[in-house]
Amino acid sequence: MTFRQCSAIKHIPDVAKGFKDTQEFKELQQRVSEIRKRLAHERQSRTENDAAVDKSGDKCLSQIQTLRQTFNVIFDRLERHTISEMERSKTSLRNNIQADVVQIDDVTEKLKMLTDALKYGSDTNEALSYIGFSKCDEVIFNVQLLLQTIANKDDFKMTFQPFKGLKEYLSSLEMLGEIICKGGEKPLPGPDHVFEVEKHVLHNVEVDDDKHRCGIIGIYRLANGEFLLSDNRNSKLKLLNSRYQVMSTSDVPDYPQDVCSTGQREAAVAVDDGKDRHEILLVRVKAGKIEQTRTIKCQHPCRGLAHHGGQLYVTTGTALYVYDMAGGQGRQLYSDKNGKITVARCAVSPDGSRIYITNFTHHQLITLNKDGTTLSTFTHPELRYPVTPHVTSQGHVFVTCDRQNSVVQVTEKNNQQTVTTLAGENNGLTKPLSLCFNSNNSLLVGQFDNDNIVELKLE
């Protein structure tokens, strides 16, 4: 053990001599008084904030209960309309059955009348008997046709078939909505602010049973501050805590692609093996564990994912599809077959008015409106081989560029877009494929064939 050598030693009484007469000592009481006032002010402020939080909680409770009442009204209306349709269908089926019964009764009566006439008239008048026989024979022919028609009919019946995916979707929800907490952190600057990287930190996300080096091609921050990663090379989902430590994993089919949040603790994962498996896997994160809830089958490749307003946006490599969360038939929103990977991945602006897609083949960032109409097509020498776009809550747009080993920021001013390279190989980036903005002004970058994700601390 070593000690620092002192150049000189002075006794405290010698140092303190005359100190009480200094201006610094005389102002001490004033300084303490001012600090105590500030402490009292901040305490009062936090106490009032605590009461405000309690009050806002009561407001949230009221809104939740109102929403539940609204759902009750909606389900009551749906029940009434469904029962009404059932009654209408039942009346229609019974009318069909009664029509057959009426026809049967009608021909039965005709046959009785004709046979009675033949019975009582055959002894007195042969002409009348012949006429009666002819009419009876004609009725019998019609009856046989009627019997054949009725015999070919299946018995009428009714069954109730709930709309596909409705029960599964409702069952997959853990809450009626998100509880959004604000405050505690400074708000982000405006969307035209250009960030700079202050420093970068590597976080290892390898686990013991990984068979290959990680391929983190999907990463998303959940509302509770945890992160969900898709490890393509190991066919795993990995859950990180707010300190970027792996809490749990979940094996998934070959091969997980992009991932996006669909609720406070729910997420969607694209799964595609490049052959015949094209799925969207819905998962729930609970108590530090990943629970797989259900799967939406697709008839096209599933590469990139984004979620907004209860809709899932899915990229195929050459097209963009939109699905509702119940898993109904997806509809194509945009397509470009002029290349191998013309619709790599997508991101949606906070208000849902803009959809950003990357054209990997032609080095483009394309902006669509919510109807799929192209608003702009942007190219730039620093925007090469773009893969994953990401949009913050304030509208900042970031993009990973795979073969350039870089992350860029795209800003727009006066309808003019510009690119700034934020980070590159000198920040530890190799094959950056996934991207996520954290609330503490940092970007998390997932990499292929690399056990580390890179945290870029921004300023």
Side-chain angles (χ1 to χ4, degrees), residues 427-450:
N427 301 104
L429 297 183
T430 57
K431 299 180 182 178
L433 293 185
S434 54
L435 191 62
C436 176
F437 189 82
N438 195 4
S439 60
N440 62 356
N441 277 20
S442 63
L443 275 172
L444 289 185
V445 186
Q447 306 179 103
F448 195 75
D449 196 24
N450 196 309

Side-chain angles (χ1 to χ4, degrees), residues 23 47 61 98 103 213 260 275 290 298 320 334 348 432 436 440 458-459:
Q23 189 67 25
T47 302
L61 178 60
Q98 288 301 316
Q103 289 189 76
R213 294 184 72 181
C260 72
K275 298 176 182 178
I290 304 168
C298 299
L320 175 67
Y334 174 86
V348 185
C436 176
N440 62 356
L458 305 179
E459 56 180 6

Side-chain angles (χ1 to χ4, degrees), residues 114 117-139:
L114 288 171
L118 284 173
K119 179 179 179 181
Y120 295 111
S122 60
D123 296 336
T124 58
N125 191 321
E126 286 188 348
L128 290 175
S129 296
Y130 176 75
I131 294 171
F133 173 82
S134 298
K135 289 184 176 180
C136 189
D137 190 52
E138 181 182 351
V139 171

Side-chain angles (χ1 to χ4, degrees), residues 90-344:
K90 183 172 71 173
T91 299
S92 177
L93 294 182
R94 294 192 66 192
N95 287 341
N96 275 282
I97 295 170
Q98 288 301 316
D100 290 341
V101 172
V102 169
Q103 289 189 76
I104 292 171
D105 290 345
D106 183 52
V107 295
T108 300
E109 183 63 25
K110 285 183 178 179
L111 283 174
K112 182 177 184 305
M113 291 174 60
L114 288 171
T115 52
D116 287 347
L118 284 173
K119 179 179 179 181
Y120 295 111
S122 60
D123 296 336
T124 58
N125 191 321
E126 286 188 348
L128 290 175
S129 296
Y130 176 75
I131 294 171
F133 173 82
S134 298
K135 289 184 176 180
C136 189
D137 190 52
E138 181 182 351
V139 171
I140 290 172
F141 177 77
N142 291 331
V143 167
Q144 289 173 334
L145 290 178
L146 175 63
L147 289 172
Q148 184 177 357
T149 300
I150 293 175
N152 288 333
K153 291 182 178 180
D154 288 330
D155 286 345
F156 291 112
K157 61 181 179 180
M158 291 191 306
T159 58
F160 174 65
Q161 179 63 53
F163 287 133
K164 184 180 178 181
L166 179 61
K167 180 180 177 181
E168 289 80 3
Y169 174 58
L170 292 175
S171 299
S172 71
L173 297 177
E174 190 171 321
M175 296 186 297
L176 293 174
E178 295 185 28
I179 305 300
I180 301 173
C181 300
K182 296 182 179 180
E185 296 175 353
K186 292 182 178 180
L188 289 174
D192 58 348
H193 173 79
V194 179
F195 289 95
E196 293 182 1
V197 175
E198 179 187 3
K199 64 177 180 178
H200 70 275
V201 183
L202 303 183
H203 302 282
N204 189 284
V205 293
E206 179 188 15
V207 295
D208 291 340
D209 60 347
D210 281 350
K211 296 180 180 179
H212 310 281
R213 294 184 72 181
C214 297
I216 308 302
I217 68 172
I219 181 169
Y220 210 94
R221 182 182 185 273
L222 300 171
N224 62 358
E226 297 170 348
F227 298 87
L228 190 65
L229 280 58
S230 65
D231 187 343
N232 175 271
R233 300 198 71 210
N234 292 293
S235 292
K236 280 188 179 76
L237 295 179
K238 296 180 176 180
L239 182 65
L240 309 186
N241 61 21
S242 59
R243 298 184 300 280
Y244 314 117
Q245 299 167 329
V246 180
M247 300 166 60
S248 63
T249 65
S250 177
D251 293 330
V252 297
D254 298 337
Y255 290 96
Q257 307 289 328
D258 202 4
V259 59
C260 72
S261 175
T262 58
Q264 189 152 10
R265 294 187 181 90
E266 289 85 28
V269 184
V271 177
D272 199 294
D273 63 0
K275 298 176 182 178
D276 52 9
R277 183 186 294 279
H278 314 300
E279 301 173 346
I280 301 170
L281 179 64
L282 300 179
V283 302
R284 176 185 297 139
V285 175
K286 190 174 183 180
K289 301 295 181 182
I290 304 168
E291 175 189 349
Q292 300 179 22
T293 57
R294 63 188 179 96
T295 301
I296 299 174
K297 303 285 186 179
C298 299
Q299 301 301 315
H300 54 72
C302 299
R303 305 293 186 185
L305 281 182
H307 175 266
H308 187 276
Q311 292 185 313
L312 274 174
Y313 296 85
V314 186
T315 64
T316 70
T318 57
L320 175 67
Y321 283 79
V322 60
Y323 284 79
D324 61 51
M325 288 299 294
Q329 185 67 36
R331 61 184 176 90
Q332 184 174 285
L333 204 62
Y334 174 86
S335 176
D336 181 358
K337 299 187 182 300
N338 187 30
K340 188 176 180 180
I341 309 177
T342 54
V343 186

